[in-house]
Amino acid sequence: MKPYSFFLTVVFLLRLTASGQPAIERLRTLPGNYAFAAVDNLEQIYLLGTNNQLKKLNEKGDSVAVYNNVKKLGAASLLDVSNPLRVLLYYKNFATVVMLDRLLSPVNNIDLRRQQVFNAEAVGLSYDGKIWLYDNMENVLKKVDENGKVLSKTPDFRQLFNETLAPQQIIDRNKLLYLYDSAHGIYTFDYYGAYKGRIAITHWRNLRITDKYIYGNDAGRFYRYTLSSLKFEEWPIPEAIQHKQQYIFEDGLLYVLDAEGLSVYSCRM
């Protein structure tokens, strides 16, 4: 028997389809040319420009801070704002993590290559200010400190699972660690790296986990999974906001990124 195989794998097979579409109303638009957007739990907005400049705005859209060190490491491949006091930028091509404070001032740079980590696709903030990463070469989940020193790691995933995992996201939420592999689902772990189960959500884009829900979408539909009840719902994406670059769900709000900028909508689902 493989380790942790006694934990329940959560699989939902019945899709509960809601009638109609989400009720949305545009509140404001923040114009600009942005590659990526993020929203923290204080509804503060982070906009990563195509010029690699990072802007932070408050919930009203007023500028709070700017990070402008755009030349040294090139384009960031990942932005994690789950802790408003610690912002994480990951530069995959250089295997480097840049940590910023709440005013987007650099705190430190972590060169993962010094710890022999050369291929980490998924990186994320830990609740305690440390960093989680999935080492694709060793097939293990690691927790590292602010210097990149490995604090803990799981057994080789090839010994735990029949399938080969390649997580694209690591999300620390609700006292659990969620690893999202779009081909296989969401794998959950505790903070000690023990496997807890799998949620059979696959091929979702813009995956977002809140205290109550998991949100996502595909080309034509929005999805919501309720963590407490395992209820699954889906809605067609309203025509006015179809085929956009990025969607971010927050309770009662929907952020939509396209070539014109970031638009904020009230959203009732």
Side-chain angles (χ1 to χ4, degrees):
M1 179 180 293
K2 292 185 177 182
Y4 315 125
S5 63
F6 55 87
F7 285 109
L8 175 66
T9 297
V10 180
V11 180
F12 56 86
L13 300 177
L14 177 63
R15 293 193 168 194
L16 303 175
T17 306
S19 60
Q21 294 184 339
I24 63 170
E25 179 183 356
R26 183 154 60 180
L27 303 176
R28 61 185 178 275
T29 296
L30 306 171
N33 191 9
Y34 303 113
F36 189 77
V39 180
D40 66 24
N41 56 17
L42 301 177
E43 296 183 11
Q44 298 176 118
I45 299 168
Y46 302 77
L47 296 169
L48 186 62
T50 54
N51 62 352
N52 300 322
Q53 181 189 73
L54 178 62
K55 296 180 181 179
K56 179 180 179 179
L57 313 176
N58 64 20
E59 69 280 4
K60 297 178 181 179
D62 300 323
S63 179
V64 174
V66 175
Y67 175 66
N68 230 341
N69 187 16
V70 299
K71 295 182 179 180
K72 184 177 180 181
L73 297 171
S77 54
L78 186 150
L79 170 65
D80 187 334
V81 301
S82 54
N83 180 350
L85 301 179
R86 282 287 184 268
V87 175
L88 182 151
L89 282 167
Y90 178 51
Y91 298 85
K92 179 183 173 183
N93 291 340
F94 290 86
T96 297
V97 174
V98 175
M99 299 295 292
L100 310 175
D101 66 16
R102 63 184 182 86
L103 297 177
L104 302 188
S105 297
V107 176
N108 65 316
N109 287 18
I110 304 169
D111 186 346
L112 299 176
R113 294 168 295 186
R114 294 181 179 177
Q115 299 296 330
Q116 305 302 305
V117 177
F118 299 98
N119 185 9
E121 185 75 23
V123 176
L125 280 169
S126 169
Y127 77 97
D128 58 1
K130 304 300 190 291
I131 297 167
W132 294 103
L133 64 90
Y134 185 76
D135 189 328
N136 291 65
M137 292 184 67
E138 295 186 16
N139 296 102
V140 298
L141 174 66
K142 296 178 178 179
K143 186 177 186 180
V144 303
D145 66 13
E146 59 276 3
N147 298 312
K149 180 182 177 182
V150 176
L151 302 174
S152 64
K153 64 180 181 178
T154 63
D156 190 324
F157 275 23
R158 289 169 294 191
Q159 299 173 4
L160 301 180
F161 307 110
N162 293 324
E163 62 272 20
T164 300
L165 300 190
Q168 297 92 43
Q169 280 183 264
I170 297 177
I171 301 170
D172 187 326
R173 191 84 187 221
N174 306 321
K175 298 182 180 180
L176 285 173
L177 199 61
Y178 300 84
L179 269 66
Y180 179 51
D181 181 326
S182 62
H184 296 104
I186 302 174
Y187 294 75
T188 60
F189 298 81
D190 67 19
Y191 287 150
Y192 300 100
Y195 175 58
K196 305 297 290 184
R198 181 174 70 95
I199 305 172
I201 287 175
T202 58
H203 305 294
W204 285 16
R205 306 173 192 170
N206 301 303
L207 189 83
R208 182 170 176 83
I209 300 176
T210 68
D211 290 341
K212 297 180 180 179
Y213 304 111
I214 301 177
Y215 292 103
N217 68 278
D218 60 18
R221 307 189 75 81
F222 288 137
Y223 300 108
R224 183 172 70 186
Y225 176 78
T226 304
L227 290 164
S228 60
S229 66
L230 314 186
K231 181 182 179 182
F232 177 77
E233 301 165 281
E234 60 179 87
W235 298 267
I237 298 176
E239 184 176 355
I241 58 170
Q242 289 180 1
H243 311 300
K244 298 302 184 179
Q245 183 177 338
Q246 187 184 353
Y247 302 96
I248 304 170
F249 280 99
E250 193 56 53
D251 291 340
L253 295 173
L254 173 64
Y255 300 80
V256 180
L257 182 65
D258 61 17
E260 302 300 319
L262 183 73
S263 296
V264 185
Y265 294 82
S266 64
C267 181
R268 188 170 66 255
M269 301 175 70

